[in-house]
Amino acid sequence: MYVSDLALNDFRSYREVVLALDPGVSAFVGRNGQGKTNLVEAVAYLSTFSSHRVAADAALVRQGAPGAVVRAKVVHGDRPTLVELEIVAGKANRARLNRSPARTRDVLGVVRTVLFAPEDLELVKGDPAQRRRFLDELMVLLTPRLAGVRAEYEKVLRQRGALLKSAGAARRRGSRPDLSTLDVWDGQLAAAGARIVAARAALVATLRGPVAAAYDEVSAGQGTARIDYRASIDVADDLPAPDASALAGETTDAAAARAAAEEQELALTDVAAVTERLLDAMGRLRERELERGVCLVGPHRDDLILSLGTLPAKGFASHGESWSYALALRLASYEVLRDDDGAPWDGDGEPVLILDDVFAELDSRRRERLATMVAGARQVLITAAVPEDVPAVLAGVRYEVAEGRVERG
Ligand SMILES: Nc1ncnc2c1ncn2[C@@H]1O[C@H](COP(=O)(O)OP(=O)(O)OP(=O)(O)O)[C@@H](O)[C@H]1O
Ligand SMILES: [Mg+2]
């Protein structure tokens, strides 16, 4: 798919901007702070309903304005669709699809984007929440109805956490709180949690090959990337953790270790079995959960383990390696979405690829390789402060961005 038209009102630094876009490469060039990232952030927002830069939507609304509107015409195959989101800080978004009011959940999945930005370094260096978010966003793009399961899980998690805290406190005061509501929450947490675990584990299996291939490509063969899902239910059940030093290499032992790890991962895709295992673990952990007042097992405690050769990437990978790894995760996401057989919207699942400030960070060889890799995408939106940073093979349309104005060059 591609975005043929974009209109913003009161989004970030833009009072109003209307932009026609072509398929292929569009590069937004301009000095720092002129609004390049703001533009592509708006496009990405239409696909994830969140920003890669801020947790709260308030920052997306132009200072002093009551709300922002992001409007786009997107083309799947050759069928156009109009998507509109109104962002009002502190309130639910309002959505329109082909000019009619729509539920936001019906708009999810219409616009598919994969955005790579400097913030993605956190995927490798940051805490597990970053990597869970990476998996969940991709999972929801592939299967929009899982957004509802995620929301349900978050809600149950909060309520169960609150109950654990109050019941734990009551017990410390010497009373005997009624724990029957807790059983109800356990059931709901396990049911929603298992669906998320299963979807993530399946996604990790799908991504593993593309991530390894993309890393190999970006780094010019300078290391082997491997991703594994580490589920807290596996921790609770005393199952082994993915260990890069055992999983890497060409030996038969390593191959056996990989097969075992993938077997363990496959077991996580069985929703009914994981539901049971979660319930069981919550039973065993109840005392500790009451003591600590937190939910100790479930997808909110899981992680995506990134290995590079025989070492975990986190804590060991160099800056350049971490950067290449994050890029490989995004390029692999692009590929998985593009090749998604079940894509709605005329089967056109190819996302818009957005590269925010990426080329400046890469040496010239990596730059050329990345450019070659993305040159065939249906639409690539690039931002760069210096025009020379955009490789020549990515000729295409240039836009000058200055002081909130965007002009086609
Ligand atoms: N809600 C908002 N209201 C008004 N202005 C905003 C808002 N959010 C961000 N800005 C302004 O937008 C500008 C940043 O724009 P953006 O991040 O798109 O810059 P950029 O062109 O990508 O710069 P760089 O090359 O440094 O990445 C800043 O000057 C910031 O003050
Ligand atoms: Mg920027």
Side-chain angles (χ1 to χ4, degrees):
M1 58 156 285
Y2 72 98
V3 177
S4 66
D5 296 272
L6 178 71
L8 308 180
N9 290 96
D10 292 330
F11 184 89
R12 291 281 196 185
S13 53
Y14 292 100
R15 185 182 293 275
E16 184 177 20
V17 67
V18 179
L19 206 60
L21 294 164
D22 292 340
V25 177
S26 297
F28 299 94
V29 181
R31 286 181 298 107
N32 296 137
Q34 300 301 302
K36 305 180 295 293
T37 301
N38 293 348
L39 272 185
V40 294
E41 184 182 38
V43 177
Y45 189 87
L46 290 174
S47 83
T48 56
F49 294 2
S50 71
S51 154
H52 67 292
R53 295 198 285 188
V54 283
D57 284 351
L60 304 180
V61 177
R62 193 172 61 85
Q63 193 170 43
V69 178
V70 181
R71 215 179 285 125
K73 189 199 268 181
V74 297
V75 183
H76 301 90
D78 50 20
R79 183 157 66 116
T81 306
L82 277 174
V83 180
E84 182 180 319
L85 278 183
E86 189 183 342
I87 307 163
V88 182
K91 284 205 198 146
N93 290 345
R94 270 201 293 269
R96 285 169 168 270
L97 206 52
N98 291 326
R99 299 205 168 84
S100 308
R103 293 175 306 185
T104 45
R105 71 170 118 123
D106 294 330
V107 177
L108 262 183
V110 177
V111 183
R112 286 183 167 192
T113 65
V114 166
L115 180 146
F116 180 63
E119 287 79 2
D120 284 334
L121 211 50
E122 285 298 302
L123 285 177
V124 181
K125 296 178 183 273
D127 57 33
Q130 311 279 346
R131 290 178 289 280
R132 289 195 294 266
R133 178 175 165 186
F134 162 76
L135 289 176
D136 287 351
E137 280 186 358
L138 183 53
M139 163 186 105
V140 166
L141 279 180
L142 286 162
T143 316
R145 73 188 140 72
L146 286 171
V149 180
R150 248 191 106 192
E152 160 82 7
Y153 185 78
E154 293 296 327
K155 192 186 82 193
V156 176
L157 190 64
R158 272 196 308 275
Q159 289 173 329
R160 187 173 181 274
L163 187 59
L164 284 170
K165 270 197 190 71
S166 62
R171 288 213 315 193
R172 282 189 290 280
R173 284 194 309 268
S175 58
R176 296 173 111 256
D178 174 19
L179 294 178
S180 56
T181 348
L182 197 53
D183 294 333
V184 177
W185 290 130
D186 286 8
Q188 294 187 13
L189 197 80
R195 290 181 67 190
I196 297 169
V197 171
R200 286 195 197 149
L203 181 56
V204 170
T206 307
L207 276 170
R208 181 170 295 117
V211 169
Y215 188 85
D216 190 59
E217 188 77 25
V218 175
S219 71
Q222 297 294 297
T224 307
R226 182 188 163 85
I227 61 170
D228 285 280
Y229 194 63
R230 181 56 168 158
S232 54
I233 185 61
D234 281 351
V235 179
D237 288 348
D238 274 331
L239 294 173
D243 171 8
S245 66
L247 295 166
E250 297 307 311
T251 63
T252 47
D253 280 357
R258 288 196 289 272
E262 280 149 40
E263 189 81 17
Q264 191 174 315
E265 176 182 86
L266 188 65
L268 293 172
T269 63
D270 181 339
V271 176
V274 174
T275 307
E276 281 309 307
R277 288 173 61 193
L278 285 170
L279 274 174
D280 212 58
M282 281 185 261
R284 280 177 279 143
L285 290 166
R286 181 164 283 187
E287 281 308 307
R288 244 199 297 159
E289 290 195 319
L290 284 165
E291 261 162 46
R292 296 190 37 196
V294 282
C295 303
L296 289 172
V297 66
H300 64 292
R301 309 268 292 193
D302 295 356
D303 198 359
L304 175 69
I305 309 292
L306 311 177
S307 319
L308 197 52
T310 58
L311 292 168
K314 188 177 158 115
F316 291 92
S318 74
H319 181 78
E321 286 170 339
S322 304
W323 186 265
S324 300
Y325 212 128
L327 182 55
L329 290 170
R330 295 299 183 190
L331 291 172
S333 307
Y334 162 77
E335 209 176 296
V336 166
L337 287 164
R338 184 195 59 197
D339 298 344
D340 170 22
D341 293 330
W345 303 95
D346 294 349
D348 180 4
E350 178 168 1
V352 175
L353 186 61
I354 300 172
L355 303 174
D356 182 24
D357 243 335
V358 171
F359 290 100
E361 290 275 342
L362 297 171
D363 61 30
S364 59
R365 208 172 59 147
R366 289 188 181 199
R367 215 180 265 188
E368 292 308 322
R369 294 181 80 91
L370 174 61
T372 318
M373 286 169 82
V374 305
R378 182 109 192 254
Q379 188 171 50
V380 190
L381 308 180
I382 296 169
T383 73
V386 200
E388 298 77 56
D389 282 349
V390 184
V393 281
L394 298 179
V397 183
R398 298 284 152 114
Y399 295 83
E400 287 286 334
V401 182
E403 291 166 10
R405 282 198 311 280
V406 188
E407 271 160 32
R408 196 169 170 141

